[in-house]
Amino acid sequence: MTPLGCIAADACLFVLEEHGVFFSELRQELQVFNTPATFIWCCLEEGLGPSEAVAAYAETFGIDPAEAQRQVADMLHRWQGLGHVSGVEMEGASEIDLTTALGRLLANPALRRQHAESAVDVARALPLRASDMDAFLALDPAALEAEADLLRRRHLGMRDGSAAGDQAVPAALDRNAGLVELAARARARRGTPLTIAHCYSLLGTIVRIQLASAEAAAIVHPVLVHLEVREPGAVDAALDILEVESGWVLLEGIVPSGYCARLPDLAPLVKSAVRRIALNRHEYFLQIHAGVVSSGERCLILPAAAGSGKTTLTAALLRAGFAYFSDEYALLEQPDMRVRPVPLALTVKPGAAAVLASRYPELAQLAAHRREDEQTVRYLPPPQPLPPASRSLPVGWIVFPRYAPDAGTALRPIGRAEALQRLMRECLVLPEALERRGVEALVRWMREVACFELTMSDLDQAVRLVAQLCGTTGRDARG
Amino acid sequence: MALRMTSTPARVGIAYRPALASWIESRPPQCLEVAAEPFYKAGERQLRGLAALCPLVVHSTRLSLGTPGPIDPEELHWLARVVAAADPLWVSDHLGFSRTAEVDLGWTVPVVPGPESLAVVVSHVREVQEQLGRPFLVENVVHFLPTAGVRSEPELLNTLCRETGAGILLDLTALVVNARNHGFDPRRWLRDLALEHVAQLHVGGCALDGERWHDSHRDPVPDEVLELAAEVLRAAPVRAVILERDGRYPPPAALEAELGRLEALATEAASDAGSAQRPGDHA
């Protein structure tokens, strides 16, 4: 019996409830397959032949054999075109258009090599619709390679502004000077020594901040004071804040790493630098944009995009007795996806400040800072005591909060495959290339975690629902 | 969009990048181009702040106008939110596709020379115009693949504009890069373009890497691009010239000097508005 096809060495699938989590190590592609696609992949893994697979597919999904043949063949040809499977010879696949064919060629180096050898054979195998044949055959293999290389370069960020060594452009009074030069001049003419120094600890990293201006210190220090360590054994990183002609330059060691023109912009810049330094020195598997609190010996993560009410809910849960881990970052660590605290001050935006005023009357007295994105924010120090940096906890619950003023407040369970997709949408950083072992651990972890969506219009009700979910009703939540 | 020659100089501005924020605030340009995607899910307040500094234009990279089938409703939804917050003079995206139903390529690839490619783009541009309710421009891209088949690239753009009323965002750096890589005369390309549709110019740096030129946007604008800009400004109803700089930022004075050169070209062209010439007419 001829098998359906041969799975590429770098491709694999992990079943998660009714879905499959597909991973291609070579392409660093992670996606969730729907149930029919998962079924077909399982047929491939089990080495079924075409007729066997089509019969099983038709029976499982209750469709006629001809339609089953088409659907199975379409999926197999798609995977073959994208390089996940080879050796597919199944008849009955739908023809594809030129754009789809070009997408496959640009995504799959092996298909480009086959195209260079015989474009006609590739066109037949895809199969390409007849009306696009002339244009397809006219594609120049060298041009295809060049276009794929262009995409690769764009993908690597070779044309964006984030490349290492790129400095912000200061609003300098001396308009001929770049940031490095401004910083160097500030150092050279420094009459006032940087006499104010504080050390802060985040994720076990000790950062020393030095500056000369008491005015600047009064802005920056309150934002980090809860992380202060009085007698650090050793300093891991040094940040100097230098006043220059037109603003403030942040020096990380001897390298200028940030600039702002105005004092209200300084604290966000410094907080961001401390966070970046600590995260860069810490080993983790995934960084998820999420609020994190703990209840007992497990933590609850609240992944969501900005504006979803993540910080508001996190702050309100702290008042209900949960312990603080982070309002923005969930660091998942291998092998079992435990989460470590990143207890920076909570970033409260104007809308959230009003909602939280009854829980945190002190918010109104906190200084207003202006972030790079023009948002005016207040930094709310988290309640003490903070969890020790060494204390990681397993995740008990994932709740995706969504502020929806007209939708009522409700907590509903969601499928784990949907939850994984939503979680990965909030993935900020993948420090290392994904490997099969890591994806397998991620799926294994997802199988054990309860996943929910929380729509919120009433914060009190939302807190009650989450507290019930986590089996706590108030001040007893801290472990 | 109705365009005509005017004696008002084109606005000169820069593509907004976070690293330029302080400098832009201290010296607001005549207009700013904001990339739509970074503002999809947050940043409406920032957009309104930028709009208070100077007029904005919104540049999208995610509509994938050349992909057969419906436009991704989620992309259009987020773009519409950005447009509502930015209140831009117009919106633009590229003549090409960045994804198919199967794969996201992450960047725009030119429209492939199939028989239906023009119809697909026309239909999508009409849908975007209807949904956004703003003038819409389509931009030429750097490419290595053939772009038009039965039609040349300028013919494709001309027909698209004629059939949809869209305008052209003419990326002169992309044109020069393509001309150098493929060995054609950019002025001949421009002679084939219906310049009355050109509403905006992109200019930026380019660099030779190995055997190919790339629109690096990390170097000063080359003289060849500036010369073409001067010619197009005299011949087309350009309303904005945007400098694209994506890294290796120079001190403020150097950026301001580049903008100053472009402003001088725009002013000069406006004063010559009565005697419009097509690029290459003098040759």
Side-chain angles (χ1 to χ4, degrees), chain A residues 102 104 159-160 166 175, chain B residues 102 112 215 246 248 253 256:
Chain A
L102 194 52
R104 290 184 187 179
R159 209 195 71 177
D160 67 20
D166 280 332
R175 311 196 75 81
Chain B
E102 301 175 352
V112 285
D215 53 342
D246 286 293
R248 212 185 291 148
E256 286 162 20

Side-chain angles (χ1 to χ4, degrees), chain A residues 166-168 179-181 183-184 249-259:
Chain A
D166 280 332
Q167 309 292 343
L179 208 54
V180 175
E181 196 177 337
V249 172
L250 207 58
L251 282 187
E252 196 175 321
I254 58 166
V255 180
S257 67
Y259 165 82

Side-chain angles (χ1 to χ4, degrees), chain B residues 10 15 17 35 38 95 110 130 132 138 140 145 152 186 188 191 197 214 230-231 252 256:
Chain B
R17 304 289 182 261
L95 180 61
E130 195 179 310
L132 299 183
V138 182
N140 57 309
L145 287 169
S152 70
R188 189 184 175 93
R191 274 200 296 274
H197 297 303
H214 289 276
E231 293 171 27
E256 286 162 20

Side-chain angles (χ1 to χ4, degrees), chain A residues 138-454:
Chain A
L139 290 171
D140 173 17
L144 271 171
E145 283 302 332
E147 195 73 41
D149 181 57
L150 183 64
L151 288 173
R152 185 188 61 80
R153 297 169 65 90
R154 304 287 205 216
H155 184 68
L156 292 174
M158 295 172 84
R159 209 195 71 177
D160 67 20
S162 61
D166 280 332
Q167 309 292 343
V169 176
L173 291 177
D174 181 345
R175 311 196 75 81
N176 291 306
L179 208 54
V180 175
E181 196 177 337
L182 279 178
R185 276 194 225 160
R187 273 217 183 282
R189 67 171 168 67
R190 197 168 74 206
T192 319
L194 303 180
T195 50
I196 305 171
H198 295 282
C199 289
Y200 307 99
S201 172
L202 184 67
L203 287 164
T205 289
I206 307 291
V207 182
R208 186 191 64 210
I209 295 181
Q210 293 190 123
L211 64 174
S213 157
E215 192 188 7
I219 294 273
V220 171
H221 184 56
V223 175
L224 298 166
V225 65
H226 62 286
L227 301 173
E228 186 172 23
V229 282
R230 297 279 181 183
E231 292 175 3
V235 170
D236 299 305
L239 278 177
D240 289 355
I241 300 171
L242 302 183
E243 192 169 357
V244 295
E245 292 94 327
S246 58
W248 304 83
V249 172
L250 207 58
L251 282 187
E252 196 175 321
I254 58 166
V255 180
S257 67
Y259 165 82
C260 66
R262 302 187 311 194
L263 206 51
D265 304 358
L266 185 58
L269 194 67
V270 175
K271 183 183 178 224
S272 165
V274 170
R275 182 203 68 216
R276 178 171 38 76
I277 290 167
L279 289 178
N280 284 348
R281 290 173 53 87
H282 187 73
E283 275 187 31
Y284 58 88
F285 176 54
L286 294 178
Q287 185 187 128
I288 306 290
H289 192 214
V292 186
V293 293
S294 71
S295 171
E297 289 304 310
R298 287 186 294 174
C299 65
L300 156 71
I301 64 175
L302 304 161
S308 306
K310 193 168 63 263
T311 296
T312 309
L313 181 61
T314 302
L317 289 171
L318 300 184
R319 281 292 187 244
F322 286 78
Y324 183 60
F325 267 48
S326 174
D327 76 327
E328 209 159 358
Y329 304 99
L331 299 185
L332 305 184
E333 296 179 354
Q334 293 252 47
D336 48 5
M337 308 299 145
R338 291 170 75 95
V339 175
R340 202 167 288 275
V342 192
L344 287 159
L346 289 89
T347 303
V348 181
K349 295 172 192 161
V355 178
L356 291 170
S358 61
R359 289 176 169 84
Y360 295 94
E362 68 270 31
L363 258 174
Q365 270 70 55
L366 294 175
H369 305 273
R370 203 187 65 149
R371 291 198 315 198
E372 191 183 62
D373 65 0
E374 309 278 331
Q375 291 257 20
T376 299
V377 298
R378 293 173 200 276
Y379 291 125
L380 178 65
Q384 299 284 347
L386 295 174
S390 57
R391 186 182 192 222
S392 66
L393 286 182
V395 177
W397 312 270
I398 301 176
V399 173
F400 296 91
R402 183 168 63 89
Y403 174 61
D406 304 322
T409 299
L411 187 67
R412 71 171 183 93
I414 58 172
R416 290 186 168 89
E418 180 189 343
L420 180 60
Q421 278 177 309
R422 290 169 70 162
L423 190 74
M424 294 312 287
R425 275 206 291 272
E426 301 306 328
C427 179
L428 297 171
V429 179
L430 252 171
E432 305 282 342
L434 274 177
E435 293 176 351
R436 182 190 178 113
R437 195 180 48 175
V439 176
E440 192 171 10
L442 185 66
V443 175
R444 195 168 53 237
W445 168 70
M446 283 299 296
R447 290 189 186 122
E448 304 298 322
V449 181
C451 303
F452 298 84
E453 179 188 67
L454 174 68

Side-chain angles (χ1 to χ4, degrees), chain B residues 40 63 72-82 131-132:
Chain B
Y40 267 10
L63 288 174
D72 185 335
E74 200 174 339
E75 294 290 346
L76 204 45
H77 163 78
W78 290 116
L79 179 58
R81 282 185 55 155
V82 169
Q131 293 285 320
L132 299 183

Side-chain angles (χ1 to χ4, degrees), chain A residues 31 86 107 116 264 289-290 294 350-351 361 366 382 389 432 458-459 462 465:
Chain A
Q31 57 171 298
S86 61
H289 192 214
S294 71
L366 294 175
E432 305 282 342
D458 179 326
L459 185 59
L465 289 172

Side-chain angles (χ1 to χ4, degrees), chain A residues 27 78 97-100 102-104 106-107 129 131-132 135 139 143-144 146-147 149-151 153-154 159-161 163 166-171 175-178 259 262 306 350 370 372-375, chain B residues 18-20 22-23 25-27 41-42 45-46 66 68 97 100 102-103 105 107 109-110 112-116 142-145 209 212 214-218 246-253 255-256:
Chain A
R27 303 261 300 277
R78 170 193 287 212
D97 60 49
L98 184 59
T99 304
T100 306
L102 194 52
R104 290 184 187 179
L106 290 170
R129 70 182 176 193
S131 58
D132 285 330
L139 290 171
L144 271 171
E147 195 73 41
D149 181 57
L150 183 64
L151 288 173
R153 297 169 65 90
R154 304 287 205 216
R159 209 195 71 177
D160 67 20
D166 280 332
Q167 309 292 343
V169 176
R175 311 196 75 81
N176 291 306
Y259 165 82
R262 302 187 311 194
R370 203 187 65 149
E372 191 183 62
D373 65 0
E374 309 278 331
Q375 291 257 20
Chain B
L20 301 175
S22 294
W23 170 68
E25 197 174 302
S26 72
R27 181 212 181 276
K41 295 187 179 174
R45 186 187 302 265
Q46 187 182 7
F97 72 102
T100 70
E102 301 175 352
V103 63
L105 298 168
W107 205 269
V109 172
V112 285
E116 294 169 12
V142 169
H143 61 78
F144 293 98
L145 287 169
D209 186 355
R212 299 188 198 114
H214 289 276
D215 53 342
S216 58
H217 296 177
R218 293 166 67 83
D246 286 293
R248 212 185 291 148
Y249 296 107
L255 277 178
E256 286 162 20

